[in-house]
Every structure is written in C-alpha cells, then in structure tokens.
Amino acid sequence: MVIQKMEFFIKIKNYITNTFGQGSFGLSLIEIMTIIIFLVFAVIIRGFFAKIIVLKIKKLVKKTGNKVDDQLFDALSSPLKTLPVILVFVLLGLFINSESKLFHFLEKVNQTLVTIFIFWLLHQSLVPLSQAFKKLEELLSKALVLWLVRSLKYLIIFLGIVAVLETWGIKIGPVIAGLGLFGVAVALGAQDLFKNLISGIMIILEKRFELNDVIEVPGHATGTVEQIGFRSTLIRQFDSTPISIPNYVFSDTSIINFSDRSYRRINWIVGLTYDVSVEQLKNICKEINSSIMSNDSFIINDSYKLFVRVEKFNDSSIDILINTFTNTNDWEKFLAIKEELIFVIKNIVENNNTSFAFPSQSIYIEKK
C-alpha cells in the first residue's frame, strides 16, 4: 500500500517536471508564458489606445470644422481601436520559433487580422464617403444611391470573406461552383424574391416615386415612402403606422404620387340660400374672385385657371363653384391658405346680407 502511494506521487512529480521542462500541447513553458503576457498586454494597450489616443485624435478632428472628416473618423474609430491588438500579435510572432507549428499558425492569424482590419476600414468608410455621392442624387436618385452604397457594403463583406478563406488555404472557386448549383435549386423556389428585386430596381430607374414622397397605392396604403428595399418598400401611413409592400405590387398597380404635383387644388361648392338675389350672387362671385386674384398664395395662369361661378340650383341651395390652385405643395401651408380663404368667403357672404344654405326640407300641407 505504501509502495503504491509512493508510485502515485512519483508520477505526479514527473508530470509536473515534464510540464515545466517541456511545456504542453507542443509548446514550451516559455512560449506559453510569452503568449499569456502578450495577450494581457494587448488588452491593456487596446484600452489605453481607445480611451486616450483615439479621444485626442477625435478632438483634433472636431477642430477642423468639416463634418465629413468628423463622420469619417466616427465610422473608423471602431476598427482603429483593434489596431493595437493586431500589432501585438505581429510582435508575438517575432518571439516564436519560426520553425514551430505555432509560428505558422500565428502567421495565418496575423494575415487574417490584417485582412479583416483592411476590409473593415473600407466597409465603415462607405457611410461618411457616401456624402460625396450627393451630386449623383441629382443625376440618378437618392434611393438608387442608397442601393449602390448598400451593394458596395455587401461586396466588401464578400471580398473580405474570400480573402480570409484564401489565407487559410480554402479555395473559393469550388465553393462558388457548388453554391451555383445550390442557387439554381433555390432560385426555383424563390421566384417571388427575384421578382421583388427586379421590381425594386425598376422603381428606382423609372423614378415613379422617391424617398419621402407621399403616395397612394390603391388597395394597400397611403403615406410617406421611408425606404425602398431589395424586397419591399416601407410606407409610413398618416397615422404613423408602417406598412411594408412587396415591390412587385408597384409594377402591377397605378401609383398616385401626391408629392410629384406642383400645386394643391381647392375645389369647393359653396351653397347659398334661395332668398339670395341675382345682384347679391354677382357681387359675391366678383368679390371672391378679386380676393383670390390679389392674394399671392394662389397661382393663376393659363395652365392653372381660377373659376368662381354660380354653378347650379341644388336641392336646398344655389351653388357657387370655387376652383383654384394654391402656390404650394406643402400640406401645412395648404391648410393655412384654405383656412384664410374660408374666413374671406364668410365675411363676403355676411357683408352681402345673405347666408349659407344647409340641407333642409319644406313641407306643404294642402287644405281640403
């Protein structure tokens, strides 16, 4: 029994001795300690770099007064904070035996980190640099520019993944070929997806409507266009409820674009009581016409004419037609102009000693 215990303690002693002398997992003790020290150092220097150096650079950038470089730095700050970690791993490779398996592994890790860092910078820089595409919005459209930026982001991510796979010896060609066969099968079951994608492209190219336009999709929604996506378009209705409509709907439906009109029209029927005289009718029409003609809030020309005419005898009123166009397409301004015109018409009618009609019926009782 004593001999068995002695053999057990001897085995433990030999294991500890071999671990300190030869290391573990093919690494010497010095290599293990070096890796741990460098990892701790990487965490410390990253925090120092993020809190002190990056903040100081940000303050210097803010002093330039240029918003583009501010946005660019804010977008690049996240990948820049990982730069010390990459440098520490590169330095770590200098302390490892160049013929060991660990050295080759670290070499690939370093190449992977540098590749991710570069493509991350490119991806993040697209957001502020997209401000430089403002001039293209006049030539193309805002939605198409957003699509281009979004497509470039996906392209950069794809190229970054390809570069990382190539670093680890994975050939992307056979993978793409395999995905191509898989894609054919998927395409057969994703016809609606491609139909929506093509319809979305046609929406942007034809410029039937753009972002922030107020449109009506008969049978679906009326509201403001907030986003034109690859698969659907997001419309914010006037009650603030968002609704996503598949893009293919727009290719098969007549869309009413309220934002594309130049002016808003006022088309009213003003009913007066039957006791109004002909002279009063003429004066009321003349005064309303003169008031609108002298008001800069209305647009009057050969294309947008003004009509103030006695239109017809209605059931309980004599109707005056008022048809004119305001000089704005803004909803809030349009409401203010309508309100002002209502006050003017009411004053004109009251000053002519007559009144507005309302639905009524007269009952005649015949005496026998």
Side-chain angles (χ1 to χ4, degrees):
M1 189 68 178
V2 176
I3 296 174
Q4 290 179 351
K5 288 183 179 180
M6 290 297 294
E7 290 178 352
F8 176 75
F9 284 113
I10 291 173
K11 288 181 180 180
I12 293 177
K13 178 184 177 182
N14 291 336
Y15 178 77
I16 295 174
T17 304
N18 291 334
T19 300
F20 278 92
Q22 300 177 3
S24 181
F25 302 106
L27 303 176
S28 65
L29 183 62
I30 295 177
E31 290 177 330
I32 294 174
M33 293 300 297
T34 302
I35 292 173
I36 294 174
I37 292 172
F38 270 89
L39 288 176
V40 174
F41 179 68
V43 174
I44 294 173
I45 196 174
R46 183 193 179 279
F48 173 80
F49 187 81
K51 292 182 178 180
I52 298 178
I53 297 179
V54 172
L55 289 178
K56 286 187 176 181
I57 297 175
K58 185 175 182 178
K59 290 180 180 179
L60 293 175
V61 173
K62 291 288 185 182
K63 292 180 180 180
T64 61
N66 190 347
K67 293 184 179 180
V68 176
D69 57 5
D70 294 344
Q71 294 175 353
L72 181 61
F73 183 79
D74 290 338
L76 299 182
S77 60
S78 295
L80 286 176
K81 291 176 183 178
T82 62
L83 186 59
V85 178
I86 297 174
L87 295 177
V88 168
F89 271 90
V90 172
L91 292 174
L92 179 60
L94 301 176
F95 291 87
I96 304 298
N97 185 2
S98 60
E99 296 182 358
S100 64
K101 293 182 179 180
L102 178 61
F103 177 81
H104 295 293
F105 177 77
L106 281 177
E107 190 175 21
K108 290 185 177 181
V109 170
N110 290 335
Q111 292 176 0
T112 301
L113 291 176
V114 171
T115 301
I116 293 174
F117 177 74
I118 293 173
F119 281 95
W120 194 3
L121 283 177
L122 292 174
H123 180 272
Q124 291 296 104
S125 63
L126 280 177
V127 176
L129 290 181
S130 62
Q131 301 295 327
F133 299 156
K134 287 289 184 182
K135 295 181 179 179
L136 289 177
E137 292 183 5
E138 301 177 0
L139 180 63
L140 302 174
S141 67
K142 185 176 181 180
L144 183 56
V145 171
L146 291 176
W147 268 43
L148 290 174
V149 173
R150 199 177 303 164
S151 300
L152 285 174
K153 286 183 179 181
Y154 289 136
L155 179 61
I156 290 174
I157 293 174
F158 174 75
L159 294 177
I161 294 174
V162 170
V164 170
L165 292 177
E166 291 286 346
T167 299
W168 292 91
I170 301 174
K171 299 299 180 183
I172 194 64
V175 176
I176 293 178
L179 290 176
L181 296 175
F182 177 73
V184 173
V186 172
L188 295 175
Q191 296 181 20
D192 289 342
L193 175 63
F194 291 104
K195 184 165 63 173
N196 287 324
L197 178 61
I198 295 172
S199 298
I201 295 174
M202 295 306 298
I203 290 172
I204 294 175
L205 294 179
E206 292 179 356
K207 297 183 179 180
R208 301 175 66 186
F209 56 83
E210 298 180 4
L211 296 178
N212 300 320
D213 281 358
V214 177
I215 67 171
E216 178 182 348
V217 186
H220 292 84
T222 300
T224 305
V225 179
E226 285 197 351
Q227 181 182 355
I228 302 176
F230 291 113
R231 195 193 69 84
S232 62
T233 295
L234 179 64
I235 296 177
R236 180 78 59 177
Q237 299 187 109
F238 295 130
D239 62 353
S240 76
T241 304
I243 179 170
S244 295
I245 301 177
N247 286 334
Y248 78 87
V249 172
F250 298 97
S251 61
D252 301 331
T253 307
S254 298
I255 307 300
I256 303 174
N257 190 342
F258 296 107
S259 297
D260 201 30
R261 60 187 174 187
S262 301
Y263 310 107
R264 288 181 180 267
R265 186 180 69 159
I266 294 177
N267 186 29
W268 288 344
I269 298 294
V270 177
L272 302 179
T273 57
Y274 265 97
D275 59 3
V276 62
S277 66
V278 174
E279 192 65 27
Q280 287 174 317
L281 283 173
K282 289 181 179 180
N283 288 337
I284 290 172
C285 290
K286 183 179 178 180
E287 290 178 21
I288 293 175
N289 188 87
S290 299
S291 177
I292 295 175
M293 289 283 290
S294 61
N295 194 333
D296 294 335
S297 298
F298 299 93
I299 181 75
I300 302 170
N301 54 39
D302 292 338
S303 299
Y304 302 96
K305 295 183 178 181
L306 167 64
F307 296 98
V308 181
R309 289 286 186 268
V310 177
E311 187 185 33
K312 65 179 180 180
F313 293 103
N314 212 332
D315 293 337
S316 57
S317 64
I318 297 178
D319 292 342
I320 296 177
L321 169 67
I322 301 175
N323 191 303
T324 185
F325 289 86
T326 61
N327 65 356
T328 182
N329 190 26
D330 183 79
W331 174 248
E332 185 175 354
K333 293 179 180 179
F334 175 67
L335 291 178
I337 293 172
K338 285 204 306 180
E339 181 183 58
E340 182 183 354
L341 183 58
I342 288 174
F343 297 153
V344 170
I345 294 173
K346 182 169 176 57
N347 286 330
I348 291 173
V349 171
E350 291 176 351
N351 291 337
N352 279 274
N353 298 319
T354 186
S355 58
F356 298 96
F358 52 87
S360 61
Q361 291 181 341
S362 298
I363 299 175
Y364 298 94
I365 301 176
E366 184 178 354
K367 293 183 178 180
K368 293 184 179 179

